[in-house]
Amino acid sequence: MYYFLAVLLLIFSIILLRIRAVKAANKSQVIPFKTFREYEGIDDYEKAVKHAVYAISKCHTVMDKMKCYFDLRVLSYALYSDYEHEENMVAALEGLLTQKFTFTYSSFIIPYPEPVEETALARFYLTQTRAHCPQNIWDYLLDASVMTNEEIDAINTLESALEVHHTLMGTILYDEKIGCYFDKDYTKPAIYDNDVYTVTEAQLNQWLDEELDLMAFYCESLLKVCIEYIKKENGIIRV
């Protein structure tokens, strides 16, 4: 099992580095890499988002919900990355992300002392999550993600907040010691019981319910601000 998780973590790290390379190359326009839509094998963003959001209603198990979470995670990152260069796109998205949600868990699956109201924007900036994160978990996440407190403190744009959130959540999901993800051939994720975390299946299930609400809203918001760009291009995204 540890070998499988180690391989999974390596694959995730390679994908993350590839994603960063694509973004850097596209911004500098040095090498015409494929778009994220093409890279992820997404035929149509509008259909993909609607299908992924609808799929949540069919979820019954933790594994079902985790699969939906992964799909929304990939879709949102790809959609944002392909259209962030469009004029007013980020500003329009920030306006929609003022929607408030009630959370009983932080992004890092830490129970809040009492339910907290957060905007989607504050959630991505990790405002309450960081404030309620035990030091040992925070230190582990930074170390596993190869990030520093200084990098986190320097977050001042939506783009940088989303990048840091995506990176740290990658550790929460895939890390071989504390990761949520587990294959159908294995009985439980590493996050249930280790030196850093002790999370019950019921807690993971409730956290997923809250995160799926947020990610569904985020994907739909992205689609709303990007749909005219998509239609203008007739489904063909510029490199």
Side-chain angles (χ1 to χ4, degrees), residues 20-238:
R20 288 178 172 175
V22 172
K23 291 190 76 172
N26 280 345
K27 285 180 179 179
S28 62
Q29 296 182 346
V30 174
I31 303 174
F33 280 101
K34 289 185 176 181
T35 63
F36 284 87
R37 179 178 64 81
E38 294 168 328
Y39 180 76
E40 296 294 350
I42 301 168
D43 293 326
D44 184 298
Y45 272 131
E46 186 174 10
K47 290 180 179 178
V49 169
K50 290 179 178 179
H51 175 77
V53 171
Y54 174 74
I56 297 173
S57 65
K58 301 298 183 181
C59 291
H60 301 293
T61 67
V62 167
M63 273 301 297
D64 291 341
K65 294 176 183 180
M66 193 66 72
K67 174 63 167 59
C68 284
Y69 186 90
F70 289 158
D71 289 345
L72 291 167
R73 173 182 163 86
V74 168
L75 269 173
S76 61
Y77 199 94
L79 185 50
Y80 180 90
S81 299
D82 275 338
Y83 288 101
E84 62 179 320
H85 64 281
E86 296 288 354
E87 186 178 3
N88 300 323
M89 180 279 200
V90 174
L93 180 61
E94 286 181 324
L96 294 178
L97 296 183
T98 55
Q99 172 77 32
K100 289 184 177 180
F101 295 81
T102 299
F103 294 100
T104 55
Y105 290 85
S106 76
S107 294
F108 301 158
I109 326 181
I110 306 299
Y112 287 142
E114 58 185 25
V116 171
E117 258 201 353
E118 291 183 88
T119 64
L121 194 61
R123 187 74 167 183
F124 289 128
Y125 271 86
L126 301 173
T127 306
Q128 292 288 344
T129 289
R130 188 176 180 185
H132 290 86
C133 187
Q135 193 62 45
N136 67 314
I137 294 178
W138 181 252
D139 290 343
Y140 185 87
L141 290 175
L142 289 187
D143 183 61
S145 303
V146 196
M147 301 189 73
T148 65
N149 281 299
E150 289 71 26
E151 288 179 280
I152 308 298
D153 292 336
I155 295 174
N156 59 6
T157 64
L158 179 59
E159 179 184 11
S160 59
L162 290 173
E163 190 71 34
V164 168
H165 181 275
H166 189 82
T167 300
L168 292 178
M169 291 307 295
T171 300
I172 296 290
L173 295 172
Y174 296 103
D175 185 81
E176 63 180 7
K177 181 175 181 179
I178 68 168
C180 292
Y181 178 81
F182 63 107
D183 188 85
K184 63 182 180 180
D185 295 333
Y186 296 94
T187 57
K188 64 179 184 178
I191 202 167
Y192 282 162
D193 188 19
N194 57 68
D195 295 338
V196 180
Y197 269 112
T198 299
V199 174
T200 67
E201 184 173 352
Q203 288 176 318
L204 183 57
N205 191 62
Q206 185 174 352
W207 174 78
L208 279 166
D209 286 341
E210 295 178 358
E211 286 294 301
L212 285 172
D213 283 345
L214 172 69
M215 291 303 293
F217 169 77
Y218 177 50
C219 278
E220 289 178 325
S221 297
L222 275 168
L223 183 62
K224 185 178 295 185
V225 299
C226 295
I227 190 64
E228 292 306 316
Y229 308 132
I230 294 172
K231 288 180 177 178
K232 185 188 301 183
E233 295 170 348
N234 295 317
I236 301 174
I237 304 173
R238 293 189 303 272

